[in-house]
Amino acid sequence: MTTIPVLLGDRSYDVLVEEGSLARAGELLARHLAPRPARAALIADEHVLSLHGPRLLASLGGLACVTIPLPQGEAAKEISVYGRVLDELARARLDRGSIVLALGGGAASDLAGFAAATYLRGIRLVGFPTTLLAQVDASVGGKTGINLGAGKNLAGAFHQPSLVVIDPAVLATLAPRERNAGFGEVLKYGLLSPAPAILARLESQAPLEGPALVELIAECVALKADHVRRDEREESLRAHLNLGHTFAHALERAQDYRGLQHGEAVGLGLIAACHLSTLLLGCERPLADRVRRVLARFALPQRATFDPDAVLEHMGADKKRAGSELRLVLLERPGAPRVVPAPERSLLLDALAQIS
Amino acid sequence: MTTIPVLLGDRSYDVLVEEGSLARAGELLARHLAPRPARAALIADEHVLSLHGPRLLASLGGLACVTIPLPQGEAAKEISVYGRVLDELARARLDRGSIVLALGGGAASDLAGFAAATYLRGIRLVGFPTTLLAQVDASVGGKTGINLGAGKNLAGAFHQPSLVVIDPAVLATLAPRERNAGFGEVLKYGLLSPAPAILARLESQAPLEGPALVELIAECVALKADHVRRDEREESLRAHLNLGHTFAHALERAQDYRGLQHGEAVGLGLIAACHLSTLLLGCERPLADRVRRVLARFALPQRATFDPDAVLEHMGADKKRAGSELRLVLLERPGAPRVVPAPERSLLLDALAQIS
């Protein structure tokens, strides 16, 4: 069992990474949660629930657990679903000592996390992320949220989990495209990490499965945990984790969220960010090419079809901007990110031309 | 200007109490908020908005402010209203540096606070409470929330305001019954305070208006601020503020929230709690009579019509219970509260008989 502590004072928790850990959930909860909860709610998208729910539930022993299914994908993050989940938590009479078990990818985790953050003004949350993207990113750090008509993730809360259980074995049940998309986010960690381990694993041809995959996931989680520890509320350092994401969010939005998967969009955003990093911060020229080679290894797209003006407009409207001045995370070199004011429009268009 | 600091580390803020302060809102925001916001949303119930909105808005100077009206009373706390308010905040393009101005009584404050707590995972909130109840209680301490089908305040967040501006002059516009009801909550502070000032003011016949009312409000706020400072998340000490409230919530629920006003229910709950305090903790026998005399001064009810069994059932289901064991806040003497396990059913019925 690989254990990564996320150190946040009285909100500290452990992230556990081990193949087969989902089937040991009950034992892990008993070992890591004090005081022990008397009731739980398992919140999961209906597809994931059918695949992994029975194994998890069977492991819970005497813990009374109600199951709350969510629609698949982003539909889970609508405010009507949030209201229904709160009502079901109340109907199941969960109290302040109860826990929410969030099983699924980023969308289910975001919704379940927001419900846990706000039911009775906050009860404990345990994450069981089932996509690579959620395992390396969404499950750690306490960001929860729902979508509004005006945009994604516009409402939410910071609510740290009490425990995260990552079982890389479940990734085998993902569609290849979804599994591969997660490596877009892993690559972001490779570019941000001051240590070369993550990027080296992605650039080697050694197969990423079994213990190597466990280690890779743990390395990403440890890097994220370090950022979260130093800047829980994303007031400074944690913003580095947005490398590639200002482009990615705008690309996804310009396609009305119907084209690229998030991890695919992040991969494209990394190409654009590395291109600008070379132009503006003197980062090594071949970095964008290294990014392209890793993306190719995981069959991730290197180009997409979009309206550059729409993307620029959505970048300007990105909720991560401070005040009205758009900022970007770029790299001086791998492992050395810097937040800089966005350059003039022509340079942003040039960066978009690299991926269109 | 009376200023009460609420000391919570980097979440500290001031509560300002002064007659006429609402018309100086812009100046007070400029003096107390750093960095200065560029945009604001004024969220208020439509009746309060028509009474006090123009004066507040006129004082804001160059601060761009959108107005979001709420339905009156508890209808403001429905999840559909919450969703609409979030959408309007997004449509007005409020960003992370923007502020929510919450103008109104407890319900409007709770809803506006929850919207501020969760929009973009939390933006700054300034409270302008307009009822006595909200001025002495709801506006300080960071509790925000909405109602679910299963019960009141079942979802919410702790989100401390950045500033609270209390203008006792607005109380003159309240209906006499609503103004008087606030004194039920003031009396709670009188019973909890280790200093005799609040109870003495309530038991004297000196008129409670002008500077005396400003001082009384400031004394209640200071006592609440001290509880919040020592126990922000209501894990121990802050629970003392629930004196009388376990009875009050159950009474309100047994009447389907259509009978007693909250402050009236609190007054009745205080009689019941003082009666049990004498039986169980040896508290001075006349305390319940002193409570009755104060209630009489403010024309607050000393009896109500309810089904005792329903009230007991609702007390058992009160969300404030820890685990499944009901606890009550009682008094050893004025200023010396203690949390004790609820006594046997017959004693609870005896306490209810005092107010039925």
Side-chain angles (χ1 to χ4, degrees):
Chain A
M1 180 78 68
T2 304
T3 301
I4 302 113
V6 183
L7 300 172
L8 290 167
D10 59 3
R11 292 184 304 288
S12 297
Y13 56 98
D14 284 333
V15 181
L16 313 177
V17 189
E18 187 175 69
E19 296 209 311
S21 51
L22 206 58
R24 293 171 51 209
E27 167 201 341
L28 298 171
L29 293 176
R31 194 183 305 159
H32 286 267
L33 294 191
R36 285 204 193 188
R39 281 167 197 269
L42 174 62
I43 305 180
D45 99 37
E46 49 206 11
H47 176 66
V48 168
L49 198 56
S50 69
L51 284 175
H52 307 300
R55 216 158 7 118
L56 193 158
L57 289 167
S59 80
L60 294 183
L63 178 61
C65 187
V66 65
T67 297
I68 304 178
L70 303 177
Q72 283 186 253
E74 288 291 312
K77 294 176 69 173
E78 292 184 13
I79 194 164
S80 59
V81 176
Y82 168 65
R84 175 174 64 79
V85 167
L86 289 175
D87 279 328
E88 294 195 32
L89 293 172
R91 211 157 32 227
R93 301 184 83 78
L94 265 69
D95 64 17
R96 290 188 176 174
S98 303
I99 55 170
V100 164
L101 309 176
L103 173 71
S109 304
D110 283 356
L111 186 284
F114 188 48
T118 53
Y119 178 69
L120 303 184
R121 297 197 190 91
I123 65 173
R124 289 178 293 174
L125 169 71
V126 177
F128 297 90
T130 59
T131 64
L132 182 55
L133 197 70
Q135 291 183 345
V136 298
D137 199 54
S139 70
V140 179
K143 281 194 186 178
T144 71
I146 56 175
N147 299 333
L148 301 182
K152 285 177 65 166
N153 295 319
L154 287 182
F158 284 93
H159 185 63
Q160 299 295 341
S162 298
L163 178 69
V164 179
V165 178
I166 295 178
D167 182 352
V170 304
L171 302 180
T173 64
L174 295 177
R177 184 180 170 195
E178 186 164 20
R179 183 168 189 275
N180 282 330
F183 285 101
E185 203 73 53
V186 173
L187 175 55
K188 177 194 80 177
Y189 287 105
L191 293 168
L192 285 175
S193 176
I198 298 172
L199 207 49
R201 283 185 200 276
L202 294 173
E203 291 187 317
S204 90
Q205 290 306 312
L208 284 172
E209 53 197 34
L213 183 58
V214 169
E215 285 164 27
L216 179 65
I217 291 170
E219 285 156 1
C220 292
V221 168
L223 186 63
K224 175 143 191 187
D226 187 54
H227 280 74
V228 170
R229 174 180 66 78
R230 289 152 75 190
D231 175 24
E232 184 178 4
R233 311 267 316 186
E234 192 170 320
E235 280 151 12
S236 55
L237 182 82
R238 189 168 169 178
H240 291 166
L241 298 173
N242 291 323
L243 179 68
H245 279 63
T246 305
F247 288 104
H249 289 146
L251 283 167
E252 289 177 90
R253 226 178 125 184
Q255 298 188 336
D256 212 11
Y257 300 100
R258 278 179 214 141
L260 297 161
Q261 294 216 356
H262 177 63
E264 295 172 340
V266 170
L268 293 168
L270 293 174
I271 296 175
C274 288
H275 178 75
L276 285 179
S277 298
T278 301
L279 293 181
L280 297 171
L281 301 182
C283 180
E284 52 164 300
R285 180 163 299 279
L287 190 59
D289 293 332
R290 290 172 67 185
V291 166
R292 285 184 189 281
R293 278 194 294 275
V294 172
L295 297 180
R297 176 182 177 185
F298 296 102
L300 290 167
Q302 298 181 39
R303 304 198 172 277
T305 304
F306 55 84
D307 170 5
D309 288 326
V311 172
L312 287 195
E313 191 194 321
H314 292 316
M315 284 175 71
D318 189 288
K319 73 178 190 305
K320 299 223 166 63
R321 69 205 162 119
S324 57
E325 186 188 276
L326 177 63
R327 289 165 169 275
L328 293 176
V329 184
L330 300 180
L331 296 168
E332 293 180 357
R333 58 186 181 280
R338 241 176 72 190
V339 179
V340 300
E344 59 199 72
R345 191 177 168 83
S346 62
L347 282 175
L348 292 173
L349 285 170
D350 181 40
L352 289 177
Q354 309 297 312
I355 55 173
S356 72
Chain B
M1 178 81 66
T2 304
T3 301
I4 302 115
V6 184
L7 299 173
L8 291 167
D10 59 4
R11 293 184 303 289
S12 296
Y13 55 96
D14 285 332
V15 181
L16 314 177
V17 189
E18 187 176 71
E19 295 210 312
S21 51
L22 206 59
R24 292 172 50 209
E27 167 201 342
L28 298 171
L29 294 175
R31 193 183 306 160
H32 285 267
L33 294 191
R36 285 204 192 186
R39 279 166 199 272
L42 173 63
I43 305 180
D45 99 35
E46 47 205 11
H47 176 65
V48 170
L49 198 57
S50 68
L51 284 177
H52 306 300
R55 216 156 9 119
L56 194 159
L57 289 166
S59 80
L60 293 183
L63 178 62
C65 186
V66 64
T67 297
I68 304 177
L70 303 177
Q72 282 186 255
E74 288 291 312
K77 294 175 69 173
E78 292 186 11
I79 194 165
S80 60
V81 176
Y82 168 64
R84 174 173 66 78
V85 168
L86 290 175
D87 279 329
E88 293 194 32
L89 294 173
R91 214 165 20 235
R93 302 184 84 77
L94 264 70
D95 64 17
R96 290 186 177 176
S98 303
I99 56 171
V100 164
L101 309 177
L103 173 72
S109 303
D110 283 357
L111 185 283
F114 188 48
T118 54
Y119 178 69
L120 303 183
R121 296 197 191 89
I123 66 173
R124 288 178 292 174
L125 169 71
V126 176
F128 297 89
T130 59
T131 65
L132 182 56
L133 197 70
Q135 291 184 345
V136 298
D137 199 53
S139 70
V140 178
K143 282 194 185 177
T144 72
I146 55 175
N147 299 333
L148 301 181
K152 282 177 67 164
N153 295 319
L154 287 181
F158 284 94
H159 185 62
Q160 298 296 341
S162 299
L163 178 68
V164 178
V165 178
I166 295 178
D167 182 351
V170 303
L171 301 180
T173 64
L174 295 177
R177 184 180 171 195
E178 187 164 19
R179 182 166 189 275
N180 282 331
F183 285 100
E185 202 75 53
V186 173
L187 175 55
K188 177 194 80 176
Y189 288 105
L191 292 168
L192 286 175
S193 176
I198 298 172
L199 207 49
R201 282 184 200 277
L202 294 173
E203 292 187 318
S204 90
Q205 289 306 314
L208 284 171
E209 52 198 34
L213 183 58
V214 168
E215 283 164 29
L216 179 65
I217 292 171
E219 284 156 1
C220 292
V221 168
L223 185 64
K224 174 142 191 188
D226 186 55
H227 280 75
V228 170
R229 173 180 67 77
R230 290 151 74 190
D231 175 24
E232 185 178 3
R233 312 268 314 187
E234 192 170 320
E235 281 151 11
S236 55
L237 181 82
R238 188 168 169 179
H240 292 166
L241 299 174
N242 291 323
L243 178 69
H245 279 61
T246 306
F247 287 103
H249 289 147
L251 283 168
E252 290 176 89
R253 225 176 126 185
Q255 299 189 335
D256 213 10
Y257 299 101
R258 278 178 216 144
L260 296 162
Q261 293 215 356
H262 178 62
E264 294 171 341
V266 169
L268 293 169
L270 292 173
I271 295 175
C274 289
H275 179 76
L276 285 180
S277 298
T278 300
L279 293 182
L280 297 171
L281 301 183
C283 180
E284 52 164 298
R285 179 164 301 278
L287 191 58
D289 293 331
R290 290 172 67 186
V291 166
R292 285 184 190 279
R293 277 194 295 273
V294 172
L295 296 181
R297 173 180 178 186
F298 296 101
L300 290 168
Q302 299 182 41
R303 307 199 170 274
T305 304
F306 55 83
D307 170 5
D309 288 326
V311 172
L312 286 194
E313 191 195 319
H314 293 315
M315 284 177 70
D318 188 287
K319 73 178 191 305
K320 300 226 165 64
R321 69 206 163 120
S324 57
E325 185 190 276
L326 178 64
R327 289 165 168 275
L328 293 176
V329 184
L330 299 181
L331 295 169
E332 294 180 357
R333 59 184 180 282
R338 241 175 72 189
V339 179
V340 299
E344 59 200 72
R345 191 178 168 82
S346 61
L347 282 175
L348 291 173
L349 286 170
D350 181 40
L352 288 177
Q354 309 299 311
I355 54 174
S356 70

